Amino acid sequence: MSQTMIINTPQKPWKLTPKQLLPDLLGAIFTVAATFAIVAISPLKGKLGFALTLITMSILVSTAVSWIRQDRKAAMNSTTTVLVYIAAAFVIIPLTSVLYEIVRLGAPSLSFNMFTNDMSQTASEAPLTEGGLLHAVVGTAYIVTFATLLSTPIGILTALYIVEVKGRFAGLVRFFVQAMSGVPSIVAGLFIFAVWMIQLGNSYSGLAGGLALTVLMIPTVARTSEEVLKLIPADLREAGLALGATQWRTVAMVVIPAAKSGLITAVILGIARVVGETAPLLLTLGGADALNLNPTQGNMSAFPYYVWKNLLLGSENAVSRAWQGVFILMVLVLIFFALARYFGAAKGAPK
Amino acid sequence: MSQTLIGPKATPRPRVITTEPRFTDKVFRVVVTSGGMISLVLLGLIGFFLVFNGFEAMRNAGLSFLTGFDWVDAIPEENQPASYGIGAMLYGTMVTGILAMIMGVPVAVGTALFLSYYAPEWLKKPMVVVVDVMAAIPSIVYGLWGYFVLMPHAEYWAKLIHKYFGFIPFFDMPAPVFTRSPFIAGLVLAIMITPIVTAIAREVFAQTPLERIQAAYALGATKWSMIKAVVIPYGRGGVIGGAMLGLGRALGETVAVYTVLNLVYDIRIEILLSAGGSVASMIVNKFGEADPVELQALMAAGFVLFLVTLAVNFLANTIINKTARE
């Protein structure tokens, strides 16, 4: 039983042959070699000199190669291609550096007793084996919980107003929510200070911090929820209404369940946005070194506040504590970020 | 025994057909509408309470609150009245914001072009994640990193710039202190606004009509000619809007600027010098020891900052929305 099968290998006529790639390859080798040569003989030195020469040389060489092989237009194209790649590289460098330094400076001194102690009995200058940031853990937990509990209903109601009710002011609300997401965080802090402390006479507390973060969290939740609700097909709503359901029933039983994972994403993105906010907390928390379990009264701390305080103290161990705090803060942010992506990927929610 | 009589009176009435929403729907609408209005009200309240608390300071200082250079507390023993002006800080805020735009926007637009038209498929997704993570990093992290990691490098760069371009007034140097300058603050802010501008620019580029792109290629355009002829004219408005959104973010940034900028109540054009201003950072700086009178001045400063960022954001969103709709 001899059966011949003919399998056509896919053809890719657009793919460059090795011969066509050769000039590019030679150009790249030449660029690197020339850069080394220039750095070696000229007064330029160090990483900066190398980077600058490499950038200049790669632009010059690729432009020259294209010009010689083709024309001015191709040369222009090569120049911009190199520039665009360099721009993308410039974006990666700071992020890599930030993450690398956080791990390098924050991770080694981590220990378990950090999470069981506060700083009430410990000076910031003390060795890192003493003291801890339990008070900041508790503070952040309280503050973020408050902000989430307050901003989730408001944010989702705002989105429902824009997408479902489509009231007379829908456009206006949408526009103002957009503008609100640009309100500087320090202004939110001043606002809560003006109302909560000056007008209502309360003192610093975790609740005040939570209120300040609520102002910042509402626009994120509202805007993401709005995008999510817009993705729910109109067919679903019409089906609900056609079955005789009221609008309320349709929204509660059809639209919201369909958008559930997206709405969760919205809330998590909101949390990720505010968990690291520092400026409003500086005006509302009062800062504390001791564990404070009462969120409505007494000075409170939080991760950003803890980092800030130790950064300003400036001694070696204090700065190490700041890096520790930043490390944990960053882990938190990345966890929320990953969760948002996970829930977002579940049902094609945005981002 | 009593009997229930079914008389002519009990015939069912014809059903009234109406578009009037039912009771539950009315409640639903009222609840959702009031929920939706909270953001509007909140924004109004922010403005109101800042004005309310800062009014005294603004009235006392008059226009010089915006143009004045000094921030002096009252000293009763020497009979010296308080004098509060945010002119220098406002100027400094603008300088760092503009520097951030000059450094950040080209990189952001380049990255957006890269993601939209240049990046190989396998690189696109990780690159988008990189930009998103950058946007998610809290400003205190950028502050710490900027101070301990970036500043030593940036100081060296500033020295080089001064050495080779010192003849330009902006890069001149009256005193050799290169740390905590507007240049470094602008650099940190540029890194912070890049993800926002990239995201908006990418969104706008993605809306470029495919037919026009294909038409350009069919006419023999190179990638760059296509971008120049189709993508940039189409997305220009959106990119400008995105850049302004970034500017708004940069103007209101507090903590990251505070760590890498030396606040000096003076107007200087030398951007490499360790002297700059930022309204937001000044508020944090002065808040700790502020007496009630100074607090009013800080509230007024906050109100000015609020108005400026709101105006920039309004303008930016209007431009973006207009571009998106076309």
Side-chain angles (χ1 to χ4, degrees), chain B residues 17 70-71 88 91 99-100 117-118 139 143 149 166 172 177 181 187 193 200-201 217 224 236 276 302 324:
Chain B
I17 296 174
D70 35 37
W71 192 274
Y91 168 80
L99 282 174
Y117 300 106
Y118 288 88
S139 58
V149 182
D172 198 9
V177 191
S181 62
L187 205 57
I193 67 170
I200 303 273
Y217 280 141
W224 174 246
R236 191 184 290 130

Side-chain angles (χ1 to χ4, degrees), chain B residues 201-221:
Chain B
R202 214 163 70 85
E203 221 168 90
V204 174
F205 291 158
Q207 288 169 351
T208 317
L210 192 60
E211 317 83 270
R212 290 197 212 168
I213 295 176
Q214 287 167 339
Y217 280 141
L219 289 171

Side-chain angles (χ1 to χ4, degrees), chain B residues 3-18:
Chain B
Q3 246 186 340
T4 324
L5 291 170
I6 303 171
K9 271 183 185 167
T11 34
R13 266 180 299 167
R15 207 159 63 127
V16 183
I17 296 174
T18 172

Side-chain angles (χ1 to χ4, degrees), chain B residues 98-170:
Chain B
I98 288 167
L99 282 174
M101 273 176 77
I102 292 172
M103 294 189 272
V105 171
V107 172
V109 174
T111 309
L113 284 175
F114 176 79
L115 283 168
S116 306
Y117 300 106
Y118 288 88
E121 267 324 300
W122 59 269
L123 194 61
K124 231 178 235 180
K125 263 200 168 157
M127 193 69 193
V128 171
V129 173
V130 163
V131 174
D132 285 351
V133 169
M134 258 177 101
I137 294 180
S139 58
I140 180 92
V141 178
Y142 280 118
L144 204 63
W145 175 81
Y147 185 79
F148 287 108
V149 182
L150 180 68
M151 201 145 80
H153 293 284
E155 199 186 339
Y156 174 63
W157 303 338
K159 281 178 186 161
L160 285 184
I161 294 174
H162 169 62
K163 191 171 157 194
Y164 294 106
F165 301 99
F167 56 89
I168 303 171
F170 294 116

Side-chain angles (χ1 to χ4, degrees), chain B residues 90-100 182-183 186 251 268-269 271 277:
Chain B
L90 215 50
Y91 168 80
T93 307
M94 291 295 166
V95 170
T96 46
I98 288 167
L99 282 174
F183 165 70
L251 296 180
R268 308 201 70 112
I269 60 159
I271 59 167

Side-chain angles (χ1 to χ4, degrees), chain A residues 236-260:
Chain A
L236 286 182
R237 292 186 190 102
E238 284 156 13
L241 294 173
L243 286 170
T246 56
Q247 188 179 25
W248 145 245
R249 295 286 266 186
T250 312
V251 169
M253 310 299 240
V254 178
V255 176
I256 292 196
K260 197 175 71 192

